[in-house]
Amino acid sequence: MIKIYNTLTRKKEEFVPLEEGKVRMYVCGPTVYNYIHIGNGRSAIAFDTIRRYLEYRGYEVNYVSNFTDVDDKIIRAAQELGVTASEVADRFIQAFKEDTEALNVKPATQNPRVMDHLPDIVQFIQALVENGYAYESQGDVYYRTRKFKDYGKLSHQSIDELEVGASQRTGEEQQRQKEDPLDFALWKAAKEGEISWESPWGPGRPGWHIECSVMATKHLGETIDIHGGGQDLEFPHHENEIAQSEAKTGKPFANYWMHNGYVTIGEDDEKMSKSLGNFITVHEMIREVDPQVLRFFMATTQYRRPIRYSEVTLKEAAANYQKLKIAFDNLSFRQADAAVTAGNESEMLAELAVLEARFIEEMDDDMNAANGITVVYELAKWMNQYSEQTAVSEKVIARALTLYKQLLEIFGIVFSTDELLDDDIDQLIVERNQARKDRNFARSDEIRDLLKDQGIILEDTAQGTRWRRGE
């Protein structure tokens, strides 16, 4: 039984989808005006890991994640670069796809773009105006926040607390245009030189919050199973999405709300963000760090917990990743001399079944990746010990490697035996073994050093010499 911590109720709840065996999942995607930083990457990785686990448990996941390609920041970037907003968006959507592919994030089922949904957005806003939840003012359209009686239910803030904050944020000009400081923009009147679209209220463009309400309901239905995003989106973005969507449909917008924790940096554990200027882009990182290590670093922390980014924590992740790779290589190496049947097969297979059951138990508890990967470490230890046995079984090795790959793929980690098929390295090892047999230790050492210089590490075992690539 999978349990999910629901931000809406502030407790873990049994996950029961709207339709048996299927999951409708919407995750807020990036505003595409720059390369994503590793904090953005963390959200993509966290929800990709959740999606993969749901699929491992047998669900068919309709995973929708948008691109915000209409925004103040995109307009500013376009003006600075001397290109159109659409060209800026196209450039950084492509960059996002390349960076997330390097991190082995599965493509979304759909990636809707705001620019493709302007008629839907206008229609949605018109419905809110018609039912009294929105009003036009000098070409802008605002949402009547107080009219939605449950406003604040996601962020668990009272209307009085929100009113103080809204008054502080709202400029004098907007104060005059709004009926209430709490009201937020659904449509913004066009300013000179900005991209705009026609509407019943004059030329303009949509506000940020309305975009996700429209794309989520259009592609997944009026009520969805899971809505996810970064912790910083809980308020006001997701709060406003609920108000807009439920005011229009009269139905719950999402049954489960999931929010991933921040990536922090520095001694003060400061949140990584573009606004603070303390960010590192994924684009830069994957030039210096193995993308699989970066993926492993962020996928193996429970999604709600913060991740502290530092050189030390990244090195720890690299070391743990390498240990898992060695366990895979050790057992893969024994396939060559495995017997069709060997000894205590049933006992070994039972132990693997227990490890898989324990993994499921940990991950069913709110996708607890930290506990889940601990079970994978135990499986790696089991594989190392089994690979040292004198007689090993083809069936046991096949089952262990299949299970190992299945569990690691949930975290987006893929190991391959392809690199072990390098004929040149294998031939050098044959030559080295012959040199040792002939007591030609000078040649044996020469070959060992030659391979070492190429990053190849030799291990002489009772079953023969095997090799692996170093870091």
Side-chain angles (χ1 to χ4, degrees):
M1 178 180 68
I2 295 175
K3 286 192 172 183
I4 289 175
Y5 180 86
N6 192 346
T7 308
L8 185 66
T9 60
R10 294 293 198 267
K11 63 183 181 182
K12 291 180 186 178
E13 299 175 355
E14 180 183 352
F15 177 62
V16 181
L18 291 160
E19 188 177 354
E20 188 176 354
K22 296 184 178 182
V23 179
R24 305 175 196 176
M25 187 172 181
Y26 185 88
V27 176
C28 288
T31 301
V32 282
Y33 69 99
N34 201 341
Y35 295 107
I36 59 168
H37 60 65
I38 61 172
N40 307 134
R42 198 270 165 105
S43 186
I45 287 170
F47 287 102
D48 180 61
T49 304
I50 291 167
R51 171 196 185 174
R52 286 170 179 267
Y53 184 67
L54 290 169
E55 289 174 341
Y56 166 78
R57 294 287 272 123
Y59 290 100
E60 178 187 328
V61 182
N62 187 353
Y63 185 93
V64 178
S65 185
N66 71 296
F67 290 123
T68 297
D69 57 358
V70 178
D71 184 83
D72 292 339
K73 293 171 183 175
I74 295 172
I75 291 168
R76 282 198 298 270
Q79 290 168 344
E80 290 168 6
L81 295 170
V83 297
T84 66
S86 182
E87 286 173 321
V88 170
D90 288 344
R91 173 183 171 184
F92 289 110
I93 284 173
Q94 183 58 35
F96 173 86
K97 289 180 177 179
E98 290 171 0
D99 291 343
T100 52
E101 182 182 1
L103 296 172
N104 199 20
V105 172
K106 293 177 67 173
T109 312
Q110 297 179 79
N111 285 124
R113 294 178 60 163
V114 177
M115 287 191 187
D116 296 332
H117 292 75
L118 265 297
D120 301 301
I121 290 170
V122 169
Q123 188 178 25
F124 198 112
I125 296 172
Q126 279 184 300
L128 291 173
V129 171
E130 289 169 6
N131 68 15
Y133 276 93
Y135 59 94
E136 186 269 341
S137 176
Q138 301 178 43
D140 294 329
V141 180
Y142 293 101
Y143 182 90
R144 286 191 174 97
T145 303
R146 287 185 192 275
K147 187 174 175 65
F148 186 70
K149 61 181 178 63
D150 290 331
Y151 193 80
K153 66 180 178 180
L154 181 68
S155 55
H156 293 256
Q157 298 182 71
S158 71
I159 204 79
D160 294 331
E161 291 171 327
L162 294 169
E163 183 176 17
V164 172
S167 299
Q168 292 170 346
R169 290 191 305 271
T170 304
E172 187 177 332
E173 182 181 345
Q174 278 194 322
Q175 288 275 25
R176 290 197 301 269
Q177 291 175 213
K178 292 182 179 184
E179 293 178 355
D180 190 303
L182 275 177
D183 297 347
F184 57 89
L186 302 174
W187 186 263
K188 299 179 180 181
K191 294 178 182 177
E192 188 175 348
E194 287 187 352
I195 187 171
S196 63
W197 291 265
E198 289 300 321
S199 80
W201 318 285
R205 57 190 173 85
W208 174 35
H209 313 301
I210 194 69
E211 298 167 350
C212 282
S213 283
V214 171
M215 290 184 284
T217 54
K218 180 178 176 66
H219 295 286
L220 293 171
E222 292 180 336
T223 301
I224 63 179
D225 291 304
I226 296 172
H227 195 311
Q231 182 182 332
D232 54 327
L233 298 181
E234 183 181 326
F235 183 86
H237 185 53
H238 289 165
E239 193 76 68
N240 291 350
E241 279 188 66
I242 290 173
Q244 295 161 161
S245 304
E246 296 187 3
K248 179 178 180 292
T249 68
K251 300 174 184 177
F253 178 39
N255 286 337
Y256 302 88
W257 286 86
M258 302 179 77
H259 293 90
N260 66 273
Y262 297 128
V263 174
T264 64
I265 192 167
E267 294 181 2
D268 297 329
D269 285 333
E270 188 177 50
K271 172 198 167 189
M272 186 179 290
S273 72
K274 291 190 175 89
S275 61
L276 295 173
N278 63 353
F279 66 94
I280 303 166
T281 68
V282 171
H283 200 70
E284 295 167 322
M285 281 294 298
I286 59 179
R287 293 177 183 174
E288 302 172 12
V289 178
D290 182 346
Q292 284 268 278
V293 170
L294 189 56
R295 167 82 196 216
F296 181 78
F297 170 64
M298 290 196 278
T300 53
T301 297
Q302 206 272 351
Y303 73 94
R304 287 192 290 119
R305 297 192 174 278
I307 294 177
R308 186 175 190 180
Y309 174 82
S310 71
E311 203 169 305
V312 172
T313 53
L314 201 57
K315 281 183 177 178
E316 286 175 358
N320 288 329
Y321 171 85
Q322 189 63 23
K323 288 176 185 175
L324 293 175
K325 178 67 168 67
I326 290 169
F328 177 80
D329 290 347
N330 283 343
L331 200 57
S332 298
F333 180 71
R334 291 304 308 277
Q335 285 181 305
D337 69 333
V340 176
T341 58
N344 49 355
E345 273 186 1
S346 58
E347 181 183 338
M348 296 295 100
L349 292 170
E351 289 178 4
L352 290 172
V354 168
L355 285 168
E356 182 176 21
R358 284 186 50 214
F359 176 84
I360 291 171
E361 181 182 1
E362 298 294 356
M363 291 294 287
D364 274 1
D365 183 13
D366 195 30
M367 315 292 172
N368 197 328
N371 288 355
I373 200 66
T374 298
V375 178
V376 176
Y377 290 141
E378 291 182 37
L379 175 56
K381 181 180 178 182
W382 184 99
M383 288 163 59
N384 283 330
Q385 291 173 341
Y386 189 71
S387 66
E388 291 171 1
Q389 291 191 10
T390 304
V392 291
S393 156
E394 287 179 356
K395 187 176 180 181
V396 171
I397 289 179
R399 176 60 192 139
L401 289 175
T402 297
L403 176 61
Y404 198 57
K405 286 190 278 190
Q406 282 179 330
L407 302 190
L408 283 171
E409 281 176 7
I410 292 167
F411 302 102
I413 304 303
V414 178
F415 293 140
S416 170
T417 56
D418 291 347
E419 62 186 20
L420 298 179
L421 302 178
D422 190 315
D423 292 339
D424 293 334
I425 294 173
D426 289 340
Q427 185 57 45
L428 284 169
I429 290 174
V430 169
E431 187 180 341
R432 175 177 177 265
N433 289 341
Q434 186 61 47
R436 295 175 73 192
K437 188 176 180 181
D438 297 340
R439 304 186 65 80
N440 185 352
F441 298 117
R443 178 56 180 159
S444 169
D445 292 345
E446 182 184 358
I447 293 171
R448 180 199 62 203
D449 293 341
L450 174 66
L451 291 171
K452 185 177 179 182
D453 289 342
Q454 299 299 315
I456 306 301
I457 298 168
L458 301 182
E459 294 177 358
D460 295 314
T461 72
Q463 292 78 35
T465 302
R466 61 176 299 277
W467 60 272
R468 63 181 172 85
R469 299 185 189 276
E471 294 182 54

